[in-house]
Amino acid sequence: MTQPPDLRTWLEDVEALGQLQRVRGAHWDLEIGALTELTCTKLATPPALLFEDIPDYPPGYRVLTNLLPTVQRLALTTGLPTDLDERGFIAAWRRRLGELRPMDPVEVSPDEAPVFENRFEGDAVDLTSLPVPRWHAQDGGRYIGTANLDITRDRENGWVNAGTYRVMLHDPRHVGFFISPGKQGRVHRTQYFDAGEPCPVAISFGEDPLLFLAATIDVPNGVSEYAWASGVRGEPVRVARGPVTGLPIPAAAEIVIEGEALPGETRTEGPFGEWTGYYASASRPEPVIRVKALYHRDNPILCGAPPFKPSAKAERFCWLLRSAAIWNQVEAAGVPDVQAVRVHPAAGRFFVIISIRQRYPGHAKQAAHVASQCRAGAYLGRYVIVVDEDVDIYDTDEVLWALATRSEPATDIDVIRRAWSGPLDPVIPADQKGFNSRAIVDATKPFEWKDQFPMVSVISAEQRAAVEARWSQLFRAEGRPAIVEAPAPVRA
Ligand SMILES: Cc1cc2nc3c(=O)[nH]c(=O)nc-3n(C[C@H](O)[C@H](O)[C@H](O)COP(=O)(O)O)c2cc1C
Ligand SMILES: [Mn+2]
């Protein structure tokens, strides 16, 4: 029987792709974080980094970072062909999302669950036994959870959510977790706290990257990320029942904790270098988890996805997946003729571009407002730019050209006020966080006179091909002759 997919089978596949880099001897205190940021930023194809022999820890205890910054690894993880480029991936993923049918995970017995290879309960729990990195220099502590699943259950109807919400180490048996208002795990936690009850939580810190990916994007309300990931794979994910909370945990997770958060019990969380490129949420009192049990595989691998400024590309997978999700949701809302959607990689959620073929008055406005407020686009957005179909939205220069020449600020910018933001928004002052505003910019040709809009002056594809062929000497990168002459006419 082939081995069920987990992080270790994924690593074998990534190694076969030639995208795994082992690193020995890097320190958990800032060095692993710095190597992660710099490889992501500087290398065209950042490899997954598997840190071994981490000082102060047993040699087999490892940290894995840079899981998904390449389209190939994203395709591998989602079961799509690995030769797709960015556009091809978005198109293929959009189709997969459209067809996706969630499927129940399968529960396996504890002895079939490698996560229980090592078990610690009560006083025996020591989270400092794991090589938890300090990722960025100004972080308020060591963050064990950056590529994790925070697993909770709806107190009223029992559905299970798994979201990636960061987890900070307070001491060997306590962690803090930060969930932005509005996220599904936050709603679950609040249900227990409102009832004056402890909220049971299980957290996995190293798992099949398909589960991690599911936990970072907007799986619909009421749908468990386990069911969603099972649907993506077309095969049920294997879960085991957590002995303390009864919550399902990934059976082959590398590291899992179980515990509870008590209403009213908080400790200072943060600051933490966030995906916006800032420490915007600073530090605040946040709920604490009293950890009652720790399980891990032999030679566990702690996964890390520390965020950096968006241009570092560490969260590129999020922008690609989100582009496809917004596109599908705009179409599902009934907006026709959407040509493309792009969450811009330099700014992430803050900057969304959408191109349409205008069919009727108001079409552009409709597309942009829906893109700004659909589930995948609503949280922490800022600008939505809508352009015509002749503008290539993968070329930022083209987008800025359209913005500069087809929008008239006095009439083409709408502002939506009091939209869904949160503590991470850098430009909102600390005492006003929660809401922000959105600019919806219509950079399409005005519908009423679009057919009379000034003609675009650009060489046609036919003329360009003909001229480039006839004058090929002139377009050589190197070795251009001193004088380029028209070639002799071809005689019949
Ligand atoms: C690497 C990474 C770290 C994240 N950390 C947090 C976090 O600390 N808190 C938070 O509220 N959302 C965080 N997010 C965003 C959520 O994971 C995302 O909004 C997800 O959809 C939440 O799950 P939910 O839809 O089940 O609420 C993070 C995303 C990524 C990719
Ligand atoms: Mn969810």
PDB file of all heavy atoms in Angstrom, residues 159 161-162 165 184 217 219-220 223 225 375, ligand 2:
ATOM      1  N   TRP A 159     -19.627  22.205  14.040  1.00  0.00           N
ATOM      2  CA  TRP A 159     -18.718  22.114  12.886  1.00  0.00           C
ATOM      3  C   TRP A 159     -17.318  22.549  13.290  1.00  0.00           C
ATOM      4  O   TRP A 159     -17.116  23.408  14.136  1.00  0.00           O
ATOM      5  CB  TRP A 159     -19.239  22.881  11.667  1.00  0.00           C
ATOM      6  CG  TRP A 159     -19.067  24.372  11.661  1.00  0.00           C
ATOM      7  CD1 TRP A 159     -19.904  25.284  12.218  1.00  0.00           C
ATOM      8  CD2 TRP A 159     -18.003  25.126  11.054  1.00  0.00           C
ATOM      9  NE1 TRP A 159     -19.430  26.553  11.996  1.00  0.00           N
ATOM     10  CE2 TRP A 159     -18.268  26.491  11.291  1.00  0.00           C
ATOM     11  CE3 TRP A 159     -16.851  24.782  10.331  1.00  0.00           C
ATOM     12  CZ2 TRP A 159     -17.430  27.502  10.837  1.00  0.00           C
ATOM     13  CZ3 TRP A 159     -16.026  25.796   9.879  1.00  0.00           C
ATOM     14  CH2 TRP A 159     -16.316  27.129  10.131  1.00  0.00           C
ATOM     15  N   ASN A 161     -13.542  24.013  12.631  1.00  0.00           N
ATOM     16  CA  ASN A 161     -12.765  24.933  11.805  1.00  0.00           C
ATOM     17  C   ASN A 161     -11.278  24.731  12.087  1.00  0.00           C
ATOM     18  O   ASN A 161     -10.881  24.399  13.196  1.00  0.00           O
ATOM     19  CB  ASN A 161     -13.141  26.380  12.133  1.00  0.00           C
ATOM     20  CG  ASN A 161     -12.514  27.362  11.152  1.00  0.00           C
ATOM     21  OD1 ASN A 161     -12.873  27.352   9.972  1.00  0.00           O
ATOM     22  ND2 ASN A 161     -11.575  28.164  11.600  1.00  0.00           N
ATOM     23  N   ALA A 162     -10.461  24.926  11.051  1.00  0.00           N
ATOM     24  CA  ALA A 162      -9.011  24.919  11.231  1.00  0.00           C
ATOM     25  C   ALA A 162      -8.458  26.142  10.516  1.00  0.00           C
ATOM     26  O   ALA A 162      -8.531  26.229   9.293  1.00  0.00           O
ATOM     27  CB  ALA A 162      -8.411  23.640  10.656  1.00  0.00           C
ATOM     28  N   TYR A 165      -3.768  30.821  12.602  1.00  0.00           N
ATOM     29  CA  TYR A 165      -3.727  32.020  13.442  1.00  0.00           C
ATOM     30  C   TYR A 165      -2.470  31.869  14.308  1.00  0.00           C
ATOM     31  O   TYR A 165      -2.289  30.847  14.960  1.00  0.00           O
ATOM     32  CB  TYR A 165      -4.971  32.106  14.340  1.00  0.00           C
ATOM     33  CG  TYR A 165      -6.303  31.807  13.664  1.00  0.00           C
ATOM     34  CD1 TYR A 165      -7.083  30.729  14.097  1.00  0.00           C
ATOM     35  CD2 TYR A 165      -6.786  32.592  12.615  1.00  0.00           C
ATOM     36  CE1 TYR A 165      -8.309  30.451  13.515  1.00  0.00           C
ATOM     37  CE2 TYR A 165      -8.019  32.319  12.028  1.00  0.00           C
ATOM     38  CZ  TYR A 165      -8.774  31.235  12.475  1.00  0.00           C
ATOM     39  OH  TYR A 165      -9.983  30.953  11.901  1.00  0.00           O
ATOM     40  N   GLN A 184     -13.164  32.816  11.464  1.00  0.00           N
ATOM     41  CA  GLN A 184     -14.073  31.779  11.968  1.00  0.00           C
ATOM     42  C   GLN A 184     -13.658  31.246  13.344  1.00  0.00           C
ATOM     43  O   GLN A 184     -14.510  31.011  14.206  1.00  0.00           O
ATOM     44  CB  GLN A 184     -14.205  30.670  10.928  1.00  0.00           C
ATOM     45  CG  GLN A 184     -14.934  31.203   9.689  1.00  0.00           C
ATOM     46  CD  GLN A 184     -14.853  30.282   8.478  1.00  0.00           C
ATOM     47  OE1 GLN A 184     -13.956  29.459   8.350  1.00  0.00           O
ATOM     48  NE2 GLN A 184     -15.793  30.446   7.561  1.00  0.00           N
ATOM     49  N   ILE A 217      -6.888  30.116   3.730  1.00  0.00           N
ATOM     50  CA  ILE A 217      -7.769  30.797   2.781  1.00  0.00           C
ATOM     51  C   ILE A 217      -9.225  30.639   3.197  1.00  0.00           C
ATOM     52  O   ILE A 217      -9.544  29.901   4.120  1.00  0.00           O
ATOM     53  CB  ILE A 217      -7.546  30.305   1.335  1.00  0.00           C
ATOM     54  CG1 ILE A 217      -7.836  28.833   1.234  1.00  0.00           C
ATOM     55  CG2 ILE A 217      -6.142  30.619   0.870  1.00  0.00           C
ATOM     56  CD1 ILE A 217      -7.843  28.372  -0.183  1.00  0.00           C
ATOM     57  N   VAL A 219     -12.218  29.245   3.307  1.00  0.00           N
ATOM     58  CA  VAL A 219     -13.132  28.109   3.131  1.00  0.00           C
ATOM     59  C   VAL A 219     -14.489  28.587   3.656  1.00  0.00           C
ATOM     60  O   VAL A 219     -14.551  29.277   4.676  1.00  0.00           O
ATOM     61  CB  VAL A 219     -12.575  26.892   3.909  1.00  0.00           C
ATOM     62  CG1 VAL A 219     -13.582  25.763   3.964  1.00  0.00           C
ATOM     63  CG2 VAL A 219     -11.259  26.418   3.285  1.00  0.00           C
ATOM     64  N   PRO A 220     -15.585  28.255   2.942  1.00  0.00           N
ATOM     65  CA  PRO A 220     -16.883  28.817   3.354  1.00  0.00           C
ATOM     66  C   PRO A 220     -17.269  28.494   4.795  1.00  0.00           C
ATOM     67  O   PRO A 220     -16.861  27.473   5.346  1.00  0.00           O
ATOM     68  CB  PRO A 220     -17.873  28.158   2.383  1.00  0.00           C
ATOM     69  CG  PRO A 220     -17.057  27.743   1.213  1.00  0.00           C
ATOM     70  CD  PRO A 220     -15.675  27.446   1.730  1.00  0.00           C
ATOM     71  N   VAL A 223     -18.012  24.951   6.616  1.00  0.00           N
ATOM     72  CA  VAL A 223     -17.281  23.852   5.964  1.00  0.00           C
ATOM     73  C   VAL A 223     -15.935  23.698   6.669  1.00  0.00           C
ATOM     74  O   VAL A 223     -15.172  24.650   6.782  1.00  0.00           O
ATOM     75  CB  VAL A 223     -17.041  24.145   4.464  1.00  0.00           C
ATOM     76  CG1 VAL A 223     -16.246  23.018   3.808  1.00  0.00           C
ATOM     77  CG2 VAL A 223     -18.362  24.369   3.739  1.00  0.00           C
ATOM     78  N   GLU A 225     -12.098  22.726   7.108  1.00  0.00           N
ATOM     79  CA  GLU A 225     -10.939  22.682   6.221  1.00  0.00           C
ATOM     80  C   GLU A 225     -10.534  21.231   5.922  1.00  0.00           C
ATOM     81  O   GLU A 225      -9.967  20.949   4.867  1.00  0.00           O
ATOM     82  CB  GLU A 225      -9.764  23.457   6.825  1.00  0.00           C
ATOM     83  CG  GLU A 225      -9.853  24.975   6.683  1.00  0.00           C
ATOM     84  CD  GLU A 225     -10.900  25.663   7.545  1.00  0.00           C
ATOM     85  OE1 GLU A 225     -11.495  24.986   8.406  1.00  0.00           O
ATOM     86  OE2 GLU A 225     -11.139  26.874   7.354  1.00  0.00           O
ATOM     87  N   ARG A 375     -16.573  37.466  -0.094  1.00  0.00           N
ATOM     88  CA  ARG A 375     -15.888  36.883   1.063  1.00  0.00           C
ATOM     89  C   ARG A 375     -14.362  36.905   0.906  1.00  0.00           C
ATOM     90  O   ARG A 375     -13.640  37.266   1.827  1.00  0.00           O
ATOM     91  CB  ARG A 375     -16.371  35.451   1.307  1.00  0.00           C
ATOM     92  CG  ARG A 375     -15.528  34.757   2.356  1.00  0.00           C
ATOM     93  CD  ARG A 375     -16.247  33.649   3.086  1.00  0.00           C
ATOM     94  NE  ARG A 375     -15.296  32.839   3.815  1.00  0.00           N
ATOM     95  CZ  ARG A 375     -14.842  33.146   5.029  1.00  0.00           C
ATOM     96  NH1 ARG A 375     -15.248  34.223   5.638  1.00  0.00           N
ATOM     97  NH2 ARG A 375     -13.965  32.369   5.627  1.00  0.00           N
TER      98      ARG A 375
HETATM   99 MN    MN B   2     -12.496  28.211   8.108  1.00  0.00          MN
END
